Amino acid sequence: MSTVLILVDSVGGKVSKSTAELATFGKRIGDVVAVICSSDSAAILPQLNTLSIDKTITCTGVDFEKFSTGAVAAALASVVAKESPAAVLIASSARGKEIAGRLAVRIDSGVITDAIDLDSEIIATQSIFGGSTTVHSIVTHGTPIITMRGNSIEAIAGSGPAGAEDFALTYTDGDRAAVLSLAPAKKSGRPELTEASIIVSGGKGTDGNFTPVEELADALGAAVGASRAATDAGWYPHSFQVGQTGKTVSPQLYIAAGISGAIQHRAGMQTSKTIVAINKDPEAPIFDVADFGVVGDLFAVLPQVRDGVIAKKS
Amino acid sequence: MKIAVCIKQVPDSWAQKKMGADQRLDRESVDAVLNDLDEYAIESALALVEANSPTGEVGEGSGHSITVISMGPERASEALRKALSMGADDAILINDPGLAGSDALATSKVLAQAITAGGYDLVLCGTESTDARMSVIPAMLAERLGFAQLTFAGKVGVSGRTMTITRQTEFGVEEMSADLPAVISVVEKINEPRYPSFKGIMASKKKPLVTQTLSDLGISPSDVGSSAAWSAVKDSLPRPPRGAGIKIVDDGSAGSQLVAFLAERKLV
Ligand SMILES: Cc1cc2nc3c(=O)[nH]c(=O)nc-3n(C[C@H](O)[C@H](O)[C@H](O)COP(=O)(O)OP(=O)(O)OC[C@H]3O[C@@H](n4cnc5c(N)ncnc54)[C@H](O)[C@@H]3O)c2cc1C
């Protein structure tokens, strides 16, 4: 039976949903070995007990929080040498892709990013050109390194690891960049943008008033997103921006309110399963990708939707 | 600082992109432009030099230099000329028939070799190219060169040989620093790229733009190009266009109709 390495993804000691998704993809190929490169391993380990993971390897001896992705790539390269896995799966975040790129250089192996599906033969599916083309790709040399986009699979639960190992490492070379300070992101109480199954996004059309967007999001248990026009105006933090230079999201439902649908915005949300658009302008390009479009004023439509959703629930 | 800015020529963002028979992006049929995310890296290089130049200007008297480097076909020289017209000092086009079909690993190998050969100590990049969107080249360059990696910078400062950046990540707002040599990628929030002035455009025509081949860089053709690409596209299909969606004009009941639609799709 072959093994697959997955890199455990966590923020502030909380394991992200993408880790369970990586484990689910990994299980299609072989035994799943979860690699922890974080000083929060004590908090992380118990959270892996319900995932389909066969073993954990905790890398120790390196201050992973202080250094950027070079240290993680170096640690993974050592684990690859030890375990000879059939593939390495990493979450397709900005950080995950950097780790994948550095690891590919280190172990001279092919890398595929932003995969939305992966089969037992390690054939990856990607959606490119703003979702207009689907490609199937394979790695032809070395250990396949594949980053998987969040929300691409329904994670299945498992019985957790049967074994846990520590792997002592030293990291001396390469990456000398150090984090001087970190102001942790404020918790909003809403789901993470990249993990959410529903997202309600607001744009320039909100005119700075995100209240109807947030109220609908809360009724739906959704995350809030924003267009660049809204983040540039300072109405919402940049970390909530969806699009080419923001987050790439792929929820079950994406509701765009007061967003025109520029190509750069669509690049980040076009693979959402169902897209709803609310816009005053009947010609807005967002309607070209919407499954349900409302030509209307978001300040009238969103509260009505919120009330309808709340009524359905009670 | 001896700065190299790595740039790419890409299909215009608005162009309808499609795959060619060789399972590669069909570049011939679309307009090519300078990757807009690289303009922010060029602007950052110019701003860094201006802020640290005795004359306040880029160029000879500044004590620093800015070279733009691109790997690509002959017509990528247009993108390099644009960077020169914005104010960069000189340009290198790495063009060789053996490079066709190179993957990110090969691209980073070639760029790293050109950076080593030129003795640059600061490499600036955009965060990704708008065509391939892998966002791995800056990290691969840092890995290959052994340079410090400072990516996704929203602010860049220099003091002596120490670079400091501020960036927003999933962890929060981070301040990072490293001594040169370093690779820095910048996000689009960092600045507003300048438009080339008429004077800049005229001056760019006289600025050096040299072409390097694989043999100039001492790279074997067997290490790059399609035969050394460690990943391959098996097949590609245009995705069936989204079925024409429902579009209604709000008559006061659109919200309720939308809730009914969501209920039908089991989304509420
Ligand atoms: C390098 C680069 C990177 C970029 N990256 C991104 C990115 O990551 N994400 C991103 O989103 N953009 C990005 N952009 C910007 C993008 O091109 C657009 O400018 C941006 O998406 C527009 O935001 P918007 O739709 O909110 O604003 P607008 O385009 O101004 O649209 C506002 C819309 O709101 C509608 N409206 C107004 N009032 C109401 C109302 N009361 N009710 C309903 N509708 C109303 C209007 O009809 C209009 O369609 C990028 C651009 C560049 C150059």
Side-chain angles (χ1 to χ4, degrees), chain A residues 204 227-228 241-245 258 260 264-265 279 297-298:
Chain A
K204 184 90 176 286
S227 72
R228 181 174 170 202
Q241 182 174 315
V242 172
Q244 173 133 55
T245 50
S260 61
Q264 292 94 347
H265 188 79
N279 197 305
D297 184 348
L298 71 92

Side-chain angles (χ1 to χ4, degrees), chain A residues 7-27:
Chain A
L7 177 64
V8 173
D9 183 47
S10 67
V11 176
K14 187 174 178 297
V15 173
S16 62
K17 192 174 145 202
S18 62
T19 306
E21 295 168 2
L22 293 179
T24 305
F25 280 119
K27 252 306 182 227

